[in-house]
Each structure stands twice: as C-alpha cells, then as structure tokens.
C-alpha cells in the first residue's frame, strides 16, 4: 500500500467526493510552513526610544523596564533641582511679587540649570543625534533644539549678553518632557504585557520519564519523542500527544477558549496550557522553535513589527510635521525680530513652537494601537500575519465560508449503510470502504473508521492505493478493486444513483464500487455548529453577505444554507474553482474574505482581499492566509471583523487628535493672537504636549474592551 503521507498529499484530489472540501483538520503540523526562528535569537527592538522601537521579547522587555527606571530617576532629580531654580528665578519673583536674591544668584541658577540640561536633557540630546544619523529628524530633534537654544542663550546672559534668562522655563520643560516620556513608556510596556504572558507561559523544567524513574530536566534539553509527566496544576512543557491519563486542560491563553478542554489518550496538548486535576504522560512532538506557542509569539512579533498602511501614514505625517515645525520655528524667530521685538522674546516664541510641534502623540498614535490590537487578538485566538488585511477587514462586503469544520462541526458520524448488491452485506461494504480510508484523517474517513471500530471489525490492508482526481480513492483489497467515490464520479461514469440514496438533505453520501459495479453506499451527517447561526446574524447586522462554497452535493449545501439563512451557496466545488468564485465576486466590486484550511484552499486564500485560515488546536494553517483563527469558530471571524473596525477607528481617532492638536497649538505658540494679549508659554506648551500623549495612550488602551463585542 502507498504510505500514509501519500494519502495525505493526495487529499486535495480526494476532496471532490461528496465531501470534497471537508477539512483535513489534523494536517501534519511539523510540515507546515512557519517561520523557523528560535525565539531566543529573534531580533528585538534595539531600545532606541527615539524611534519607539521596543522589542517584545524578554531582552526588549527588560531593556524597556530599565529605560523606564532611568527616565523616572532623571525626572525626580530634575524636579528636585527645578524647585530652587523656580524660587530664585528673578522672572518668577517678578510674577509673584517677592524678592529673594542670593549672593551670586545668577551663577547658582546657571550651575543648577547646567545639571538639569546635561543630566535631565541627556536622553533628548542623544535622541537628537540618533535621528540625525538616521536622516530622520523627529520629536527628539525638536525637544533637543528647544532646550539647547534655551540653555545656551540663558548661559550667555549670565556671562555678559544683554537679555533675560529663562532657566526656569528650561527646567520645567525638561521635567515635564521627562514625566511625559515616563508615562508614555509605561503605556507602551503595558501594551506588550499580553505578549510577555505568552513568552513566560512555558515552565522552566520538565519531568522526563525514563523507564521507572522520573528526572527533572531543563526545558531546552527536552527532545522530540521524549515521554514527559505533567502533574496536576502544572503547565504543559511542550506540544505532544497524551500516551497515558486524562484531564481537563486550560488553553485559554493560547486559543481564547475559556472552558477547560477534556483531553484523553491520543489527544494533542499544547505547550503552555495548564493541566487540571489529572496526571498525564505525554509524548513530545514539538519543542523550542517548532512549538505552537513559539510560532504564535513569532507571528505576533512579526505582525507588530510589520508596518501597515495606517502606520506608514502616521510616520510620513510625523516627518512632515518635523520639517514644518522647524520651518515655522525659525520663521517665527525671524518675523518677531523683523517686527522689532527683543531677541529673547522672539527666541521664546520659537522655542514654544518647537515644543508644541513635537509629534510625540503622533508617533505614538498608531504603534500603540498596533501593539495592543495584535497582542489582544493573539489572546483571543486571532493571529494577525498581515496588519493591512486586518485593518481592511472593516471593508469586507462578502464572506465566503467553507462548510465543514467551520459552519459545521466537521465531526461526521455514519447514519446509514446500504447494500445494493446482494453479494455484499452492509458490513462488507463498510469493511471494504474502511480499508481505503484508514490512512486518512479526513472528517468523512474518520467517521467511517469510527463506525468500524465501534463494531470491532478487522480492517483489511489495501494495495496499489490511488487517488482519483477530485472524485475519490481506489485500491485493491482482498483481490477486488474497490473505489470510494462521490456522486460526481457516478454521473461521469453513467452509473445510476439509487433513488433512496439521500433520505436527509443534510447527509453526505459516498458510494462504494467493487470491481466496477456499484455495491452500496454510506451516508454520514455533520452537525451544524450552534455558534454559526449567531455569527451569521452578526455578519448580516454589519451588512456582510455570507456565502458558502462546499464540495458537498446540491441537496446538502442547500439544506445547510437554508437552515442558517445564508445569502447563497456554491455546491460540488473543486478546490481550484474556489479561486474562480473569489475572482468573480471581486470583479463585481465586492471586498471578499475567504475562509479555509489553508492547504487546498491556499490559492483562494491568496486571491481574496482578506484570507482567513481556520484550524484548531496546534493546526495553525497556511502561509497564504492574512489572519489565522486558532479555533474553527465562525464567531471568531465575527469578532475579528468587528475588532478590525474598532482598531481602525482608534487609529483614526488618535491621528485626528495628534495632528489636530498641533494644527491649533502651533499658531498659538507662534503668537498669532499676540494682538489680543494671548501668548502660549513654553511651560504651558510642554504640559499640553504631554497631555496630548497621555490622551492618545489612554485612548489606545480602551481598545482592549472592544474585543468580542457585538
């Protein structure tokens, strides 16, 4: 007989049986195309705060925490020094109406302000050089120029230049910018916490079983095919298959499924899930970089790093705002000097413009939403591989569903076995069919094998196994040529389908031919998922048409379509025809989302505007999909689309806030309302800038509440 792998390889051809698109949920995970990067070697953010490029692995995480601690320390030192600077500053004394001048007052101010400038302002000065080296002036450039001009001008007044110092404004500006950065960085760190939970989910050790002994070993020493013991309440250290025991496992952090899942012998377990009350022995399948959890982490990191259209837009806006701010800043200085105002006043206007114009909130607006939405999605079983497709999911007008395993449970049970040739009994029909199906994990095949095992029937060995393209399978069994085929094959061969073959419209029927003659048929039924009807209501409420494409016969497809109230269906569809359906819908101006298992659906997933691969457990599918659903639940797709809309809306809100604030504040800082007596001071400008950043950060955090809401 051909080996099992061949049978799986030919599943695409097998699929045109009545169950042509019945999902192959148990695809060999080890052979799937995934990024094979070891998480420990992943390229994390370099921690350059000027670019907000914060890594989400442990190294990036620790570096980020160190930077937060550094900003916090610099802020408190600056604040302590700012208090005496304010008290002994002549300008502040003039505002409040008191006089308290110390001997060498201006030199004390200069000394204290020098410490504030070089210690408190250092992150902004180094950030400025970093931006200049990259040829991408931005926020750090503006802050650095503002504080540098303020410091050196004020220092010059101490040593003879005519004018009034504004050391107090320099100190308050640096203090406010430091606290703004500190709060903002804490927000960014908060956004990556969900991913940190994923990273930290694996235990440090595993209990390896060696004969009658159990030894504790480091996780990195675990090998494929090792047997490990998972005690009650412990985390599962690696992906594997249970060889002994049963228990309920909590997989909520991996799949979004809140209820513990019962696992028994031969069931797969995912590394990182939490064991319940039972003790399990597990044979290791995947470790380290090949593990499901590591693939999730890699995908999430790549999604967070990948730039979406919205993110590119915000980057361009920030860059242009920098050039505009520099132009307006120097223009403001020139205009006030031309109008005859003192250099100090003109300089103050320029400094204020530069502070106000810092595109800090703008630089944070999109990346923070991206980080939060990607991490929250992963927690809820939505793995985003293509950021742009995720954001564009709000445009979906047609959703093309596969039937089996998505709208239906994909768990087929044999409902009837009939013989149409008196030479063969029902049991023989089932036995011959099982010989061809025993190597397949196709839902139809699984249903037939399950029925055989219930009757404790011995399954014969097939020889010369072959897939009949798109129609079924054939092999020699006990000297007879056996074929298990779809009704399409019977029609092509001009074989009459028995009148009573279909008793229930929702049944799927496969036919058994022995030596070229129809000997009987097996009917199976697949139960509709209870979540499907609810999900379809959500789609319709959001004006999305729901269509179904299935390899099943017309009667079965119509029965499912009518029961769920779909907008239409395509029956007896070959895998390659799904691409044509997607193209046809797109040619009509529809924005199409396609769902499939990512194996024989790959071309259609690639063709669709948004490709959504569905799979369960560790069967994370296809490179061609934009988004992967860990569970095959249609409600997850509803959540995905609604969360995509919410994410896009948050990005727009943050962009509008960040840019709108600058549009209003820059002219005020330049002094356009000077004739009315209103001018925006540097310290007030710094407060408003920091407030803008905090509002953007809080608004992004509100996105967490949007997942799963209808």
């Amino acid at each position: 007989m051909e080996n099992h792998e061949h049978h799986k390889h030919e599943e695409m051809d097998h699929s045109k049986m009545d169950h042509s698109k019945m999902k192959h949920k148990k695809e060999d995970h080890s052979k799937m195309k995934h990024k094979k990067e070891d998480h420990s070697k992943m390229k994390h953010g370099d921690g350059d705060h000027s670019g907000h490029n914060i890594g989400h692995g442990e190294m990036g995480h620790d570096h980020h925490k160190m930077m937060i601690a550094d900003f916090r320390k610099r802020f408190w030192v600056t604040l302590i020094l700012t208090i005496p600077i304010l008290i002994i500053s002549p300008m502040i004394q003039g505002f409040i109406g008191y006089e308290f001048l110390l001997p060498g007052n201006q030199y004390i101010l200069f000394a204290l302000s020098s410490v504030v400038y070089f210690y408190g302002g250092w992150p902004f000065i180094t950030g400025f050089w970093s931006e200049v080296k990259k040829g991408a002036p931005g926020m750090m450039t503006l802050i650095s120029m503002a504080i540098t001009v303020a410091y050196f001008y004020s220092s010059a007044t101490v040593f003879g230049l005519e004018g009034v110092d504004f050391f107090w404004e320099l100190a308050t500006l640096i203090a406010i910018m430091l606290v703004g950065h500190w709060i903002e960085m804490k927000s960014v760190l908060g956004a990556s916490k969900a991913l940190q939970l994923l990273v930290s989910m694996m235990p440090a050790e595993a209990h390896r079983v060696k004969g009658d002994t159990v030894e504790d070993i480091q996780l990195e020493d675990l090998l494929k095919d090792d047997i490990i013991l998972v005690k009650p309440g412990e985390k599962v250290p690696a992906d594997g298959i249970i060889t002994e025991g049963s228990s309920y496992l909590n997989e909520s952090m991996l799949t979004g499924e809140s209820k513990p899942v019962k696992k028994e012998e031969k069931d797969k377990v995912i590394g990182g899930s939490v064991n319940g009350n039972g003790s399990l022995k597990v044979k290791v399948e995947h470790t380290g970089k090949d593990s499901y959890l590591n693939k999730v982490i890699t995908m999430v990191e790549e999604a967070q790093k990948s730039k979406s259209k919205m993110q590119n837009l915000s980057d361009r806006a920030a860059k242009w705002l920098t050039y505009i701010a520099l132009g307006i800043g120097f223009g403001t200085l020139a205009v006030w000097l031309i109008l005859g105002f003192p250099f100090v006043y003109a300089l103050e206007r320029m400094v204020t413009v530069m502070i106000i114009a810092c595109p800090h909130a703008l630089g944070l607006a999109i990346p923070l939403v991206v980080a939060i939405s990607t991490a929250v999605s992963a927690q809820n079983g939505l793995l985003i591989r293509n950021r742009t497709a995720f954001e564009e999911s709000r445009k979906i007008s047609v959703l093309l569903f596969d039937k089996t395993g998505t709208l239906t449970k994909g768990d087929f049970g044999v409902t009837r076995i009939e013989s149409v040739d008196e030479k063969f009994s029902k049991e023989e029909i089932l036995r011959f069919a099982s010989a061809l199906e025993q190597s397949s994990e196709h839902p139809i095949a699984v249903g037939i094998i399950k029925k055989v095992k219930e009757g404790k029937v011995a399954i014969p060995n097939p020889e010369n196994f072959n897939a009949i393209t798109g129609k079924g399978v054939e092999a020699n069994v006990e000297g007879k040529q056996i074929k298990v085929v779809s009704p399409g094959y019977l029609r092509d061969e001009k074989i009459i389908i028995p009148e009573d073959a279909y008793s229930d419209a929702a049944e799927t029927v496969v036919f058994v031919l022995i030596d070229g003659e129809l000997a009987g048929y097996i009917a199976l039924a697949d139960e509709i998922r209870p979540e499907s009807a609810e999900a379809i209501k959500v789609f319709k409420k959001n004006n999305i048409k729901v269509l179904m494409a299935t390899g099943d016969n017309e009667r079965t497809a119509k029965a499912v379509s009518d029961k769920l109230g779909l907008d239409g269906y395509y029956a007896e569809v070959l895998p390659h025809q799904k691409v044509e359906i997607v193209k046809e819908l797109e040619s009509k101006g529809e924005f199409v989302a396609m769902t499939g298992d990512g194996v024989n659906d790959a071309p259609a997933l690639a063709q669709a505007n948004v490709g959504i691969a569905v799979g369960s457990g560790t069967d994370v599918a296809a490179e061609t999909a934009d988004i992967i659903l860990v569970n095959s639940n249609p409600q997850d797709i509803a959540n995905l689309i609604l969360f995509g809309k919410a994410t896009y809306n948050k990005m727009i809100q943050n962009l509008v806030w960040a840019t709108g604030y600058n549009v209003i504040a820059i002219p005020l800082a330049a002094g356009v309302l000077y004739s009315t007596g209103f001018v925006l001071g540097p310290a007030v400008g710094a407060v408003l800038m920091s407030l803008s950043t905090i509002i953007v950060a809080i608004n992004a955090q509100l996105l967490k509440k949007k997942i799963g809401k209808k």
Side-chain angles (χ1 to χ4, degrees):
M1 145 184 190
E2 294 285 348
N3 66 20
H4 177 53
E5 287 306 313
H6 175 78
H7 191 73
K8 283 201 334 191
H9 177 70
E10 290 294 340
E11 196 57 33
M12 183 170 169
D13 296 329
H14 187 186
S15 64
K16 178 52 180 151
M17 296 168 71
D18 245 4
H19 47 285
S20 78
K21 252 322 283 119
M22 307 290 172
K23 292 291 166 251
H24 216 49
K25 287 294 167 209
K26 303 290 185 187
E27 197 68 328
D28 185 351
H29 186 58
S30 66
K31 292 188 171 60
M32 290 191 180
K33 289 183 183 176
H34 286 293
K35 299 289 180 188
K36 293 289 183 185
E37 297 167 49
D38 184 339
H39 185 61
S40 64
K41 293 173 188 167
M42 284 180 194
K43 188 177 176 184
H44 295 294
D46 58 10
D48 175 8
H49 184 60
S50 65
H52 297 286
N53 184 18
I54 309 303
H56 292 282
E58 289 175 25
M59 287 165 56
H61 183 74
D62 292 340
H63 184 69
H64 200 106
K65 284 203 286 192
M66 283 167 56
M67 288 181 70
I68 290 173
D70 182 59
F71 268 85
R72 183 173 62 236
K73 186 169 73 174
R74 288 178 193 273
F75 164 70
W76 286 116
V77 171
T78 300
L79 184 64
I80 290 164
L81 293 174
T82 298
I83 293 167
I85 290 172
L86 289 170
I87 291 170
I88 65 173
S89 176
M91 195 180 290
I92 296 294
Q93 292 179 24
F95 288 159
I96 298 173
Y98 75 96
E99 191 171 313
F100 178 64
L101 296 175
L102 296 170
N105 198 81
Q106 65 199 50
Y107 297 107
I108 296 169
L109 270 175
F110 167 69
L112 292 172
S113 299
S114 295
V115 176
V116 168
Y117 173 71
F118 287 106
Y119 180 72
W122 190 249
F124 307 113
I125 296 165
T126 54
F128 160 69
W129 284 115
S130 176
E131 288 181 352
V132 167
K133 278 189 283 185
K134 290 177 187 172
M139 166 191 61
M140 291 295 184
T141 303
L142 292 175
I143 299 170
S144 178
M145 288 187 70
I147 62 175
T148 301
V149 168
Y151 173 71
F152 284 105
Y153 172 76
S154 297
S155 299
T157 65
V158 171
F159 296 102
L161 182 73
E162 290 219 3
V164 181
D165 74 78
F166 43 106
F167 283 126
W168 71 273
E169 289 174 298
L170 164 73
T172 52
L173 169 61
I174 290 175
I176 289 166
M177 293 307 293
L178 283 170
V179 76
H181 268 64
W182 173 22
I183 293 170
E184 172 215 325
M185 290 174 76
K186 282 180 76 174
S187 298
V188 173
L189 186 68
S192 69
K193 274 182 183 167
L195 200 51
Q196 293 312 312
L197 284 171
L198 287 174
V199 172
S200 64
M201 277 175 69
M202 296 300 271
E205 292 184 330
H207 313 302
R208 182 162 62 189
V209 179
K210 286 278 189 182
D212 296 332
T213 61
V214 177
E215 58 180 357
D216 288 349
I217 61 166
Q218 292 297 307
L219 202 61
E220 55 265 29
D221 296 331
L222 204 56
L223 302 171
K224 188 177 185 296
D225 295 333
D226 277 351
I227 302 294
I228 51 174
L229 176 68
V230 185
K231 297 174 184 176
E234 288 187 337
K235 290 177 180 176
V236 178
D239 298 354
I241 295 175
I242 297 172
T243 58
E244 191 181 310
S246 68
S247 184
Y248 282 87
L249 270 72
N250 185 340
E251 300 178 340
S252 58
M253 265 300 289
L254 296 152
T255 66
E257 175 58 61
S258 57
K259 290 180 291 190
V261 182
K262 189 172 185 187
K263 300 279 185 175
E264 298 173 321
E265 207 172 311
K266 295 186 180 174
D267 284 341
K268 290 188 177 184
V269 292
I270 310 172
S273 53
V274 181
N275 188 17
N277 295 325
S279 187
L280 302 172
K281 281 188 180 175
V282 176
K283 184 179 180 182
V284 176
E285 275 199 316
H286 307 122
T287 61
K289 64 183 181 182
D290 293 324
S291 73
Y292 168 73
L293 181 61
N294 202 79
K295 287 180 173 68
V296 172
I297 291 164
T298 307
M299 280 185 201
V300 173
E301 286 208 329
E302 285 175 352
Q304 288 185 342
K305 286 175 191 170
S306 71
K307 296 245 175 161
S308 64
K309 287 179 183 174
M310 286 298 299
Q311 209 167 340
N312 288 329
L313 176 64
S314 73
D315 289 346
R316 288 198 303 274
K319 191 174 182 180
W320 279 108
L321 190 59
T322 302
Y323 292 136
I324 291 165
L326 288 169
I328 294 176
F330 286 111
T332 300
L333 178 72
V335 168
W336 285 108
L337 288 174
I338 290 165
L339 291 173
F341 282 79
F343 179 72
V344 170
Y345 186 84
L347 189 60
E348 181 182 285
R349 291 299 92 221
M350 183 186 84
V351 168
T352 309
V353 165
M354 289 182 170
I355 297 164
I356 290 291
C358 292
H360 206 168
L362 184 63
L364 182 66
I366 304 302
L368 193 54
V369 174
V370 167
I372 292 171
S373 69
T374 311
V376 171
S377 296
Q379 276 186 294
N380 286 271
L382 311 174
L383 308 183
I384 300 165
R385 295 184 65 249
N386 182 331
R387 289 287 330 165
T388 303
F390 171 61
E391 284 150 29
E392 290 193 334
S393 62
R394 72 187 190 282
K395 297 180 188 173
I396 292 169
S397 60
V398 170
L399 192 53
L400 184 63
F401 266 108
D402 173 54
K403 178 177 79 69
T404 308
T406 309
L407 293 174
T408 62
K409 288 185 174 178
D411 184 11
F412 278 76
V414 173
T415 53
R416 291 179 300 132
I417 305 165
E418 298 292 345
S419 171
V420 296
D421 187 332
E422 58 188 26
K423 294 200 295 276
F424 303 103
S425 67
K426 292 181 182 181
E427 289 72 22
E428 283 180 299
I429 298 293
L430 180 64
R431 198 168 70 87
F432 283 132
S434 68
L436 274 65
E437 301 289 9
Q438 63 184 319
S439 296
S440 175
E441 289 171 345
H442 197 290
I444 289 287
V446 170
I448 290 172
I449 298 303
K450 186 177 165 188
K451 183 70 175 176
V452 170
K453 286 182 177 175
E454 282 171 9
K456 297 184 178 172
V457 176
I459 302 172
N461 288 325
E463 295 173 354
N464 302 322
F465 178 89
N466 181 46
I468 306 165
T469 308
K471 301 287 171 63
V473 286
E474 62 182 352
N476 293 328
V477 181
E478 296 177 351
K480 295 180 174 62
Q481 189 198 38
I482 310 295
K483 292 181 182 178
V484 180
V485 294
S486 69
Y489 179 88
L490 266 60
R491 283 194 292 272
D492 290 351
E493 296 297 317
K494 306 290 189 291
I495 298 171
I496 298 167
I497 297 173
E499 286 181 20
D500 57 354
Y502 294 97
S503 64
D504 182 336
E507 279 183 332
T508 293
V509 182
V510 292
F511 297 88
V512 180
L513 276 63
I514 301 176
D515 293 330
E517 298 292 325
L518 179 62
Y521 54 86
I522 301 170
L524 302 97
D526 180 15
E527 191 182 339
I528 291 174
R529 282 180 178 271
E531 310 96 337
S532 296
E534 194 60 38
I536 284 158
K537 282 181 195 168
V538 176
F539 298 134
K540 293 203 168 185
K541 189 176 163 187
N542 285 271
N543 300 316
I544 297 169
K545 283 182 273 188
V546 185
L547 305 175
M548 179 179 72
T550 178
D552 261 339
N553 60 72
E554 176 76 20
R555 285 166 61 97
T556 304
K558 188 176 188 307
V560 173
S561 178
D562 291 348
K563 191 167 181 180
L564 289 172
L566 304 182
D567 295 294
Y569 63 90
Y570 300 87
E572 299 188 30
V573 177
L574 285 166
H576 70 270
Q577 291 173 323
K578 290 193 177 180
V579 187
E580 292 159 22
I581 293 168
V582 172
K583 283 181 180 174
E584 184 190 338
L585 290 167
E586 287 175 342
S587 69
K588 292 176 182 172
E590 302 284 7
F591 198 88
V592 182
M594 166 74 195
T595 68
D597 67 1
V599 183
N600 46 12
D601 285 333
L605 286 168
Q607 177 64 40
N609 300 106
V610 180
I612 303 168
V614 294
S616 57
T618 55
D619 300 330
V620 178
E623 284 288 304
T624 46
D626 302 307
I627 295 149
I628 294 164
L629 301 185
V630 174
N631 297 310
S632 308
N633 187 341
Q635 278 191 317
D636 285 349
I637 300 173
N639 286 346
L640 168 79
I641 293 167
L642 297 178
F643 192 52
K645 282 184 179 179
T647 299
Y648 180 78
N649 290 341
K650 275 280 173 274
M651 289 181 172
I652 294 296
Q653 287 166 17
N654 277 2
L655 277 179
V656 168
W657 175 261
T659 52
Y661 155 80
N662 282 291
V663 166
I664 294 166
I666 288 175
L668 292 177
V672 292
L673 295 181
Y674 177 78
S675 58
T676 67
F678 177 82
V679 285
L680 199 63
V684 177
V687 171
L688 290 175
M689 198 288 305
S690 296
L691 186 64
S692 170
T693 302
I694 293 163
I695 288 170
V696 163
I698 291 169
N699 190 38
Q701 293 288 344
L702 293 175
L703 186 63
K704 290 178 182 177
K705 300 188 189 311
K706 296 286 185 182
I707 186 76
K709 287 196 176 177
K710 305 295 185 288

